[in-house]
Amino acid sequence: MKDVEKTNVERQNSRKRIRRRKRMMNVYGLVVLLLVLTAGITISYTFLFNINEIRVAGQSDMYSAEEIVAASGINKGDNLLRLDCEKSEQMILDSLLYVETAKVDRDFPSSLDITVTKCIPAFNVNYGDGTLLVSKKGKILADNGFITEGLPIIYGFDPADHNPGKPAASENEHKNDAFHELISTMAAKNDDSIMTVDMSDEHAIIVNYKNGMIFKMGNWNDVEYKLNLAETVMQDETVKGKKGYLTMIGTKQCSFRTSDGPVAVPGAEEPTTQPMTDEYGYPVIKSEHDPKQEEVLNDFNNNRGTTEPTTAAQQWTDYSGYDDGSQWSDNSYQQDNQWTDNSQWSGDSGQGTADNSWTDQSTQWSDNSGDTVNYDNNSGGQW
């Protein structure tokens, strides 16, 4: 029994030693791995991946490759892993006024690529006392006191900064969003048909075209779609060559009108107000009269209510319509529901049947039938 107990104890001790050795080996392996990684990183950030070649590409007509590299703040021998590409790109944009975009790319193990594009003046941004010359991407190129011809003019943006080299921005966040949506779409379309853009109210933007068309675009949502829709309408055979107003109706429809008035929205209910009538049931037509005319008309309306037919001729003369002193007279009387108009117009030569006079003695309007109108002049014509 004693030999058996001793053997069991030795076996248990042996297993514990094995497990302890495995744990130690894992620790040793982890320490070694960390040391190797640390050494590799240190070597990479000090001796490996150092820049020995810088390549400049793109549109850089105004600046040499050396000027662009100097503006980036990057030098040969700098480590690629330590390089802050975004910071270098912004340094190029801030230092070189006529660089529109800058892109810095690592090319391992030891090269660097810098790609730039030049600024193209694209917009005039008017702010009241002056005008900013702005690139396609919205970079301020100059603060001028004049309008650059051939470029669209944007009103109502209210730029917060006028310094060249800075991006055009407004303190009004909505106007800022609307501005960048507009210029990016207009620049992408490369269309010179737009003359001015008024964004004083960013929710009611107005675009004026060089052909005389005025487009009430509304807000800045779906700018590309709205501008394309306006161009489609202007090219329609029924609209092409005309001047007028284009107005967005809702978000997907555009109407054309030759005058600036209310636009009827499809599906809207028409007003149901009944027309005004007088005491005899005739529609009331609003018009302007001078006091003399109104007095005559009132007398005429009062006489219409009498039971006996009026046989005496009532005369109304208007001296206000002609500069040459000529008269227009209406000698009329009412009898048996018939209206007879013996009208005569004469010039300075006086009344009568001279060459400049016209006399109608046979016009008849029948009130009994309600739908019959006869016309017969002196020559026997009938309509």
Side-chain angles (χ1 to χ4, degrees):
M1 293 294 296
K2 292 181 179 180
D3 294 337
V4 174
E5 292 177 357
K6 183 177 180 182
T7 301
N8 291 335
V9 172
E10 290 177 353
R11 289 177 178 175
Q12 291 175 358
N13 292 335
S14 177
R15 293 193 188 98
K16 290 180 180 180
R17 284 195 297 271
I18 292 172
R19 287 196 296 269
R20 189 180 301 114
R21 287 187 190 131
K22 288 182 178 180
R23 288 196 296 269
M24 293 301 296
M25 289 297 294
N26 291 336
V27 173
Y28 293 151
L30 181 59
V31 171
V32 172
L33 180 60
L34 290 175
L35 290 174
V36 171
L37 290 175
T38 302
I41 293 173
T42 301
I43 294 173
S44 298
Y45 276 88
T46 53
F47 300 104
L48 298 178
F49 308 122
N50 290 337
I51 301 173
N52 57 28
E53 182 183 15
I54 301 177
R55 299 185 291 263
V56 178
Q59 302 170 336
S60 55
D61 298 342
M62 298 191 66
Y63 305 103
S64 65
E66 290 76 12
E67 290 174 319
I68 295 173
V69 173
S72 70
I74 302 172
N75 299 301
K76 286 186 176 180
D78 291 346
N79 192 272
L80 289 176
L81 297 177
R82 292 182 177 181
L83 185 64
D84 187 343
C85 294
E86 292 184 0
K87 181 180 178 181
S88 297
E89 292 168 358
Q90 191 59 49
M91 289 176 63
I92 295 174
L93 297 178
D94 292 341
S95 301
L96 305 180
L97 179 61
Y98 289 95
V99 171
E100 184 77 272
T101 63
K103 183 66 176 176
V104 177
D105 294 313
R106 303 180 182 91
D107 186 11
F108 292 98
S110 59
S111 298
L112 185 75
D113 292 324
I114 300 177
T115 306
V116 297
T117 59
K118 65 181 179 180
C119 281
I120 299 177
F123 305 101
N124 293 293
V125 178
N126 182 270
Y127 62 90
D129 296 333
T131 302
L132 301 180
L133 182 62
V134 178
S135 70
K136 290 184 176 182
K137 294 288 186 179
K139 185 177 183 179
I140 300 175
L141 303 180
D143 185 2
N144 298 324
F146 56 87
I147 300 294
T148 301
E149 294 184 1
L151 301 180
I153 308 171
I154 299 178
Y155 297 96
F157 176 55
D158 302 328
D161 194 345
H162 303 162
N163 295 322
K166 299 296 183 180
S170 175
E171 295 180 355
N172 185 324
E173 183 179 355
H174 291 163
K175 285 190 176 183
N176 206 44
D177 294 339
F179 173 77
H180 288 286
E181 285 288 335
L182 281 167
I183 65 171
S184 62
T185 302
M186 293 166 63
K189 291 171 65 65
N190 197 24
D191 185 6
D192 62 350
S193 62
I194 294 177
M195 183 170 61
T196 66
V197 177
D198 186 354
M199 53 179 303
S200 300
D201 183 354
E202 66 273 21
H203 300 286
I205 299 173
I206 300 175
V207 180
N208 291 271
Y209 288 86
K210 293 179 180 179
N211 61 2
M213 196 71 73
I214 299 175
F215 178 35
K216 296 184 177 182
M217 187 174 65
N219 59 34
W220 68 94
N221 293 333
D222 299 325
V223 170
E224 183 178 1
Y225 172 81
K226 292 178 180 178
L227 291 179
N228 289 336
L229 181 59
E231 291 180 0
T232 301
V233 174
M234 286 188 288
Q235 293 302 319
D236 188 88
E237 292 299 328
T238 61
V239 179
K240 192 174 183 179
K242 296 180 180 179
K243 297 180 180 181
Y245 297 83
L246 298 174
T247 305
M248 287 300 301
I249 303 177
T251 58
K252 299 298 182 182
Q253 298 180 9
C254 181
S255 72
F256 167 74
R257 304 186 68 176
T258 55
S259 62
D260 186 16
V263 178
V265 180
E269 295 183 358
E270 297 294 332
T272 58
T273 305
Q274 297 296 328
M276 297 178 60
T277 58
D278 59 14
E279 56 181 324
Y280 300 100
Y282 294 100
V284 175
I285 301 175
K286 294 183 178 180
S287 59
E288 294 182 358
H289 301 283
D290 59 32
K292 292 182 179 180
Q293 293 176 350
E294 291 181 355
E295 183 178 355
V296 173
L297 290 175
N298 289 334
D299 293 340
F300 177 77
N301 288 331
N302 292 333
N303 292 331
R304 289 172 60 185
T306 60
T307 57
E308 297 297 328
T310 303
T311 58
Q314 295 181 354
Q315 183 174 0
W316 173 66
T317 305
D318 184 7
Y319 296 91
S320 61
Y322 304 96
D323 295 332
D324 59 357
S326 59
Q327 301 176 4
W328 182 87
S329 62
D330 186 359
N331 299 324
S332 59
Y333 60 90
Q334 182 180 3
Q335 184 175 7
D336 296 335
N337 286 332
Q338 292 185 348
W339 182 274
T340 303
D341 186 7
N342 299 324
S343 303
Q344 185 174 21
W345 179 85
S346 59
D348 290 334
S349 60
Q351 299 179 351
T353 57
D355 292 339
N356 63 344
S357 64
W358 177 81
T359 304
D360 184 1
Q361 297 177 345
S362 59
T363 302
Q364 184 180 42
W365 175 68
S366 175
D367 192 19
N368 295 327
S369 62
D371 58 357
T372 302
V373 178
N374 297 322
Y375 176 80
D376 187 7
N377 58 19
N378 292 334
S379 62
Q382 185 176 6
W383 179 79

